[in-house]
Amino acid sequence: MNIEYVPNTCPYCGCGCGMNIISVNGEIEGVEPWKRHPMNEGKLCPKGNFAYQFVSRDDRLKTPLIKENGEFREASWDEALDLIASKLKEYREEDPDLLAFLASARCTNEENYSLQKFARAVIGTQNIDHCARLCHGPSVAGLAQTFGSGAMTNSIIDIEEASCIFIIGSNTAEQHPLIWRRVLRAKSKGAKLIVADPRITPTAKQADIYLPFKPGTDIPLLNAMMNVIIEEGLEDKDFIEKRTKGFEELKEVVKKYKPEDVEELTLTPADKIREAARVYAEADSAAILFAMGITQHITGTDNVISTANLAMLTGNIGKPGAGVNPLRGQNNVQGACDMGALPAFYPGYQKVIDEEATEKMTCAWGCSDLKCTPGLTVVEMMNAAEKGELKAMYIMGENPMVSDPDIQHVKESLESLEFLVVQDIFMTETAELADVVLPAAAWAEKDGTYTSTERRVQYIRKAVEAPGDAREDWDIICDLAKRMGAEGFDFNSPAEIFEEIREVTPQYAGMNPERLSKPEGLHWPCPDESHPGTPILHTEQFATPDGLGIFFPIEHKDPAEVPDEEYPFILTTGRVLFHYHTGSMTRRSETLDRELPTGFFEINDEDASELGIRSGDMVKVRTRRGEIEITARVTPDIMKGVLFIPFHFAECAANMLTSSSELDPAAKMPELKVSAASIEK
Ligand code: SF4
């Protein structure tokens, strides 16, 4: 019997926990936590513990499939890739912008780099995006505006150093369990925990100060905290003077947001806002953690800027135990953004609109006609497809038929395309609509790097062979590029691709295989091989052109939809402990599926009693986009007037109900966290 332990990185959330894959005679049999890994120190959450179960499923895609007369038939790689190459060439000749590409937060850095390079250098379009658009696009946009860099400012381990932790819009205990462990350790050392959330989540239950607030009122809540801090002279005057600009403009706006005045809007008791503001401002070091509760709004970028304003106001940037920390939901969503799988950025956040950056990439990739205008975002792609302005899409490892807002609209858009290619490990809801489906290798079957939410770059390593004819995503893309006559795709391994990544991505320049192979990996920016990496950003100066952090005064705006007589509830969405994204992997894990086999909606017990609804009842939840039937879960742990649905479950998909009609102007984020809804038993 041949037993192997292969050091690896968890394929689920952005914590980036280290684990060993256990294989027996070439078959994956389990995982065990990597004890020497500094982030998780020998612990895994339930998802991580069962991360191996989906890999060996019988329903893995094993051979390319081509759809004919509405039915898939098996095809060889040559036939499938030649067909795709000829189609893409046709559209490219007509207009490269008739094509769009979705990269994947679940694929490696090398794969995301390859696909965005293919879209840009082979096709000549900037239409490349991925689902970070629908989670932390506003974090990138908001923190880039204020700090000059759109990523978590501090490391996960560093959270333990905080004397106050303010969590807003994140159920950290369920969604980032190994970050939550650090929060609890900080708390056990005396840190105060403030949690703002419309639901009394497992995270909120541990709070010293709990701030209930109505979905869509993040800005008034944060402005009211800043109002108290300035009114009581608790701001860090020295930090404001030496390291920031725009304070006077901020002061003018936040003085309008007295806690007593915003209470009616946010439904947060004014005395609680005052208490939270004092505790946060008076702490020696205070960390802000947030997730999609902050970002998934048409004001997502403004919400993120407000968290940055609060941190700068109190000098809580650039030091241990502080910072503004967007918690990324997926294993490599940070890396996919870093690699330029975004329509406005090349690798390393070099701007597409910057002619110098475009010239640099043109030289590096040996191509001639890169445009200096950003391409389409995820939601814009769907709108363009519906209007016939987009004719073909290539989707790698994404499942917009569950993850994107207004699924009926997504379906109509994808069906409007003339040609759709989906590259994935399972026949997802999106793959079913494709003209060609390409079978990809899963995480345990390939080498490469992931970048976790704390900017830690680390290896994944091949432990077992992919099933059937499935191939690694980078290998498929490079083969396709060569069939289209492109140069610059002669890579023989992810390691060779990473060498090119280092050349064009300043933040990754100092990362070599020897340094990355250590359990701790490296935090970017790491500009040269003698640089130790950067667990804490902005210690001396911000990454803005003049090195100063910028306060932007932000006013409240109503969400795209507010409740009315016909749709009296606010529907909000989120995640649960046992499932990940669209469920394509966790719902194929026997153990995780057994824990929670389908979706539910939460309703406040008083609302439920008025409507005669009891836990377990099947109820119709309806919005202006459509309706779903879903089981009720009655609880006192959600605000009156608010409903909550986890978005993982295709058969009762929360995103049948969400809207894509209005977008955040900077990050193009739809209003995923607030929909006006009605219910019918
Ligand atoms: Fe995996 Fe996240 Fe759980 Fe760690 S906390 S084991 S990275 S799912």
Side-chain angles (χ1 to χ4, degrees):
M1 186 181 290
N2 179 28
I3 302 178
E4 286 187 56
Y5 290 76
V6 182
N8 229 299
T9 306
C10 179
Y12 286 133
C13 88
C15 289
C17 294
M19 56 169 60
N20 283 299
I21 295 178
I22 306 166
S23 73
V24 179
N25 296 333
E27 300 288 328
I28 191 163
E29 291 293 337
V31 299
E32 61 157 34
W34 189 357
K35 294 191 177 52
R36 283 194 303 136
H37 195 283
M39 213 302 285
N40 55 314
E41 296 178 321
K43 311 275 187 298
L44 294 173
C45 81
K47 278 201 290 287
N49 267 315
F50 299 103
Y52 65 95
Q53 288 184 336
F54 70 87
V55 175
S56 51
R57 289 269 309 204
D58 285 342
D59 57 347
R60 283 284 303 278
L61 290 169
K62 299 185 187 80
T63 185
L65 301 169
I66 293 175
K67 195 179 272 172
E68 272 177 4
N69 303 320
E71 300 285 327
F72 284 116
R73 66 162 174 84
E74 293 188 357
S76 67
W77 276 106
D78 279 340
E79 185 187 7
L81 290 180
D82 285 343
L83 171 65
I84 296 168
S86 71
K87 286 278 189 186
L88 298 195
K89 272 189 204 164
E90 271 175 37
Y91 294 117
R92 180 180 65 181
E93 269 154 40
E94 194 179 339
D95 178 356
D97 288 337
L98 292 174
L99 286 151
F101 295 79
L102 289 184
S104 175
R106 286 167 291 289
C107 290
T108 63
N109 287 326
E110 293 77 2
E111 290 162 344
N112 280 290
Y113 178 84
S114 301
L115 189 64
Q116 64 81 37
K117 180 178 172 182
F118 180 87
R120 290 173 164 136
V122 180
I123 302 297
T125 182
Q126 300 282 8
N127 292 341
I128 169 87
D129 204 8
H130 72 290
C131 67
R133 180 72 40 208
L134 304 174
C135 58
H136 279 286
S139 303
V140 175
L143 296 182
Q145 284 184 49
T146 48
F147 300 162
S149 172
M152 196 165 159
T153 61
N154 288 47
S155 74
I156 294 171
I157 295 170
D158 179 70
I159 292 168
E160 261 191 56
E161 305 306 314
S163 44
C164 170
I165 298 169
F166 176 29
I167 300 180
I168 179 165
S170 160
N171 179 8
T172 318
E174 292 198 74
Q175 290 149 12
H176 295 91
L178 269 293
I179 292 178
W180 179 240
R181 177 170 169 264
R182 300 287 173 176
V183 174
L184 291 180
R185 280 168 68 159
K187 203 165 174 315
S188 71
K189 291 193 247 171
K192 291 280 182 245
L193 178 61
I194 305 166
V195 178
D197 203 296
R199 300 164 62 219
I200 310 175
T201 60
T203 306
K205 284 183 179 158
Q206 299 297 325
D208 297 292
I209 304 169
Y210 168 57
L211 305 174
F213 76 110
K214 198 165 78 176
T217 62
D218 309 68
I219 291 164
L221 176 63
L222 291 161
N223 277 352
M225 286 177 70
M226 288 187 262
N227 175 295
V228 174
I229 290 166
I230 295 172
E231 192 181 77
E232 299 188 6
L234 301 175
E235 73 273 26
D236 186 334
K237 296 176 185 66
D238 192 47
F239 185 91
I240 292 167
E241 190 192 320
K242 291 190 180 133
R243 300 219 32 207
T244 69
K245 61 186 182 188
F247 173 65
E248 290 304 322
E249 291 86 342
L250 176 84
K251 199 169 152 185
E252 275 306 298
V253 167
V254 301
K255 78 178 180 196
K256 294 186 273 181
Y257 290 80
K258 286 201 180 311
E260 291 70 19
D261 297 338
V262 305
E263 183 173 334
E264 199 180 333
L265 183 61
T266 62
L267 305 180
T268 318
D271 60 335
K272 287 279 168 202
I273 298 177
R274 290 190 178 280
E275 187 187 357
R278 288 175 194 135
V279 167
Y280 177 81
E282 287 173 351
D284 290 339
S285 56
I288 296 174
L289 313 185
F290 69 79
M292 298 195 300
I294 278 281
T295 57
Q296 286 188 325
H297 298 272
I298 57 165
T299 56
T301 302
D302 282 351
N303 291 354
V304 171
I305 289 173
S306 299
T307 64
N309 285 342
L310 177 62
M312 288 192 291
L313 184 66
T314 50
N316 275 305
I317 288 290
K319 64 181 187 182
V324 177
N325 299 293
L327 307 183
R328 301 286 195 136
Q330 298 182 58
N331 54 326
N332 197 36
V333 68
Q334 181 68 56
C337 293
D338 298 348
M339 293 301 106
L342 297 169
F345 296 101
Y346 296 117
Y349 305 96
Q350 299 168 90
K351 289 180 183 156
V352 161
I353 54 167
D354 179 346
E355 283 183 17
E356 217 174 287
T358 297
E359 176 69 25
K360 174 182 161 184
M361 302 320 296
T362 305
C363 289
W365 294 335
C367 53
S368 55
D369 47 3
L370 289 177
K371 296 188 187 94
C372 283
T373 42
L376 299 174
T377 62
V378 170
V379 176
E380 289 171 335
M381 287 176 193
M382 296 303 164
N383 293 340
E386 196 188 28
K387 285 189 230 153
E389 293 165 6
L390 206 61
K391 292 199 175 164
M393 280 185 78
Y394 192 114
I395 300 178
M396 174 178 82
E398 294 247 318
N399 189 11
M401 278 294 294
V402 180
S403 63
D404 285 19
D406 194 352
I407 289 172
Q408 187 54 34
H409 169 62
V410 173
K411 184 165 187 276
E412 286 161 12
S413 301
L414 294 177
E415 285 175 344
S416 303
L417 293 167
E418 291 177 5
F419 190 59
L420 174 63
V421 180
V422 174
Q423 183 168 307
D424 213 313
I425 61 174
F426 290 111
M427 181 60 80
T428 62
E429 292 76 7
T430 304
E432 279 168 11
L433 301 180
D435 297 289
V436 183
V437 176
L438 301 176
W443 132 92
E445 298 154 357
K446 59 190 175 187
D447 293 318
T449 54
Y450 288 162
T451 306
S452 72
T453 186
E454 57 175 339
R455 298 170 283 106
R456 190 195 291 271
V457 182
Q458 45 193 1
Y459 276 129
I460 63 164
R461 296 171 178 88
K462 181 172 179 170
V464 291
E465 293 297 329
D469 294 335
R471 288 165 65 178
E472 298 177 38
D473 292 277
W474 67 269
D475 182 39
I476 301 169
I477 298 158
C478 292
D479 189 344
L480 183 60
K482 285 185 270 187
R483 282 170 200 259
M484 292 182 70
E487 292 181 1
F489 285 84
D490 289 321
F491 300 113
N492 294 305
S493 67
E496 288 184 11
I497 301 173
F498 195 82
E499 280 307 304
E500 185 172 306
I501 291 171
R502 288 178 63 193
E503 281 170 26
V504 299
T505 313
Q507 297 92 328
Y508 283 61
M511 298 182 182
N512 62 33
E514 190 196 336
R515 302 185 79 196
L516 283 180
S517 61
K518 297 193 172 131
E520 61 272 24
L522 276 165
H523 295 267
W524 68 253
C526 179
D528 60 64
E529 289 193 348
S530 62
H531 193 284
T534 314
I536 301 179
L537 296 176
H538 317 308
T539 50
E540 304 293 329
Q541 55 177 20
F542 288 93
T544 51
D546 61 6
L548 296 175
I550 309 169
F551 286 111
F552 287 94
I554 304 291
E555 297 273 17
H556 170 65
K557 291 180 209 78
D558 276 335
E561 264 187 2
V562 289
D564 56 20
E565 220 168 279
E566 195 181 355
Y567 296 100
F569 287 91
I570 294 175
L571 167 67
T572 192
T573 65
R575 305 183 180 118
V576 295
L577 175 64
F578 295 106
H579 287 288
Y580 171 79
H581 210 236
T582 67
S584 60
M585 298 188 290
T586 48
R587 298 191 75 191
R588 286 180 171 90
S589 161
E590 199 187 341
T591 312
L592 298 173
D593 184 53
R594 192 170 58 227
E595 289 294 335
L596 187 63
T598 190
F600 61 89
F601 82 102
E602 282 186 1
I603 180 169
N604 173 273
D605 50 356
E606 288 178 38
D607 288 335
S609 146
E610 279 168 25
L611 293 162
I613 291 170
R614 290 185 298 187
S615 282
D617 286 351
M618 191 56 91
V619 172
K620 275 185 186 157
V621 180
R622 189 177 291 130
T623 67
R624 291 184 175 86
R625 269 68 59 195
E627 65 179 34
I628 58 170
E629 292 191 13
I630 188 165
T631 312
R633 192 180 272 188
V634 176
T635 172
D637 292 340
I638 187 166
M639 286 179 95
K640 248 176 104 43
V642 178
L643 310 173
F644 168 80
I645 302 181
F647 68 82
H648 314 287
F649 304 95
E651 68 279 15
C652 46
N655 281 322
M656 283 295 290
L657 307 173
T658 52
S659 167
S660 60
S661 60
E662 287 193 46
L663 302 176
D664 175 305
K668 312 287 183 187
M669 169 67 82
E671 190 74 270
L672 284 161
K673 281 286 188 276
V674 181
S675 304
S678 65
I679 48 180
E680 185 190 324
K681 190 174 165 184

